[in-house]
Each structure stands twice: as C-alpha cells, then as structure tokens.
C-alpha cells in the first residue's frame, strides 16, 4: 500500500513543474533612426516575439516624444504609401518585425534628452493587459538620399 503513495509523492513535483506560467511575449532589437530634418518624424523599429499565446500590440507610448504611431508601408495602385495602424497581431511562438520598408513606428518631436542619452524608453501596450518597457537605441540620421531618410521625409505630410 505504501508503494503507490510513494510513487505519487515522487511524481507530483514532476507533474506540477509542467504547469508553470506560460512563456510571455517580449520585444527586443528596438532602435530609432532620427530624421535628418528635426521637423520631420523619425522612424522606429523592433522585433516582437510571441509567447505561448498570441497577443496584440495595441499601442506604443513614450515620454521622450510628442507623439508616436504605428505605421505600415503598403502598395496601393502601384504606389508605395504609409498608413497608421491601430494594432498588430503577434502569433503564439511567432515573431513580427518592424523594419524599414514595412511596419514601423513614427515619432514626432523626440526631445533632446533622449537624443543626448542615445536611447529612449518605449512602453508597448499589449492586449493581455501587460505593458512592456523597452529601451530603444537612437541612431543618428543617414546621409541625404539614403533609404531611411527618404522614408522619414515621405511622412512630412502626416
């Protein structure tokens, strides 16, 4: 009679260890390319990694810029255009890249404190109620005519 109870006692910790918290989503590789024209918006990029469950990024906040929006480059009637987006799905165990020429963040009015520090803190608002805090490295503008500069200048009308 003692043997079955001993086996249960030994097996219980192993069974419970499989019931741990699900792996959370996270964000890394965050960076901001400053616009060569301080009056034009700058662009931000990162990689969002899905955890055990899918989640949405519903917004991004920062105390270091006047305004931040999520945008997406799309082909429309043979012309590449950029449009604001409200949310982005991050699939379970998948990843979504915000990269030049695709999804990206737009920042208006990045303050000098962040520029001098070389980084700025971003707060990602997730659909599961979590807020992910991420430091984004600030990179200086590319030379005139470079792809990132051209992309930033395309947003001057926003």
């Amino acid at each position: 009679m003692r043997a079955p109870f001993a086996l249960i006692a030994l097996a219980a910790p192993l069974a419970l260890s499989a019931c741990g918290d699900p792996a959370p989503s996270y964000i890394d590789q965050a960076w901001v390319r400053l616009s060569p024209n301080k009056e034009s918006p700058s662009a931000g990029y990162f990689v969002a990694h899905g955890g055990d469950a899918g989640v949405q990024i519903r917004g991004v906040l920062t105390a270091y810029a006047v305004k931040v929006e999520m945008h997406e480059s799309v082909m429309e009637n043979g012309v590449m255009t950029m449009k604001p987006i409200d949310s982005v799905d991050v699939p379970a165990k998948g990843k979504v890249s915000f990269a030049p020429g695709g999804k990206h963040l737009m920042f208006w009015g990045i303050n000098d404190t962040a520029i001098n520090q070389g980084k700025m803190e971003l707060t990602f608002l997730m659909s599961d109620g979590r807020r992910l805090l991420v430091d984004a490295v600030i990179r200086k503008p590319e030379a005139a005519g470079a792809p990132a500069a051209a992309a930033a200048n395309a947003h001057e009308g926003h």
Side-chain angles (χ1 to χ4, degrees):
M1 184 82 164
R2 288 186 187 168
F5 289 119
L7 286 173
I8 291 172
L10 289 173
L14 293 174
L16 291 175
S17 69
C19 296
D21 290 334
S25 54
Y26 66 96
I27 292 171
D28 64 4
Q29 303 175 45
W31 61 284
V32 174
R33 172 74 66 200
L34 289 178
S35 171
N37 176 356
K38 193 166 172 96
E39 301 303 315
S40 297
S42 297
Y45 310 102
F46 60 91
V47 178
H49 301 266
D52 288 340
V55 70
Q56 282 186 334
I57 301 170
R58 296 224 172 126
V60 181
L61 305 172
T62 185
Y64 294 99
V66 173
K67 181 168 105 172
V68 60
E69 291 180 354
M70 292 188 293
H71 280 218
E72 180 173 41
S73 298
V74 293
M75 187 65 74
E76 203 170 79
N77 298 322
V79 177
M80 185 62 75
T81 184
M82 297 177 214
K83 294 185 174 187
I85 51 178
D86 295 326
S87 64
V88 175
D89 292 329
V90 181
K93 300 188 189 290
K95 72 178 182 177
V96 176
S97 294
F98 275 54
K103 291 177 178 59
H104 56 279
L105 300 175
M106 295 304 301
F107 296 95
W108 285 264
I110 295 176
N111 70 32
D112 290 337
T113 300
I115 294 169
N116 293 335
Q117 290 177 12
K119 66 179 182 176
M120 60 193 289
E121 186 178 76
L122 305 177
T123 302
F124 290 83
L125 307 175
M126 310 304 283
S127 60
D128 61 4
R130 293 186 312 133
R131 291 177 176 239
L132 304 179
L133 302 178
V134 177
D135 280 336
V137 174
I138 296 177
R139 297 184 187 172
K140 299 294 181 194
E142 292 181 356
N153 288 334
H155 275 287
E156 285 183 16
H158 285 282

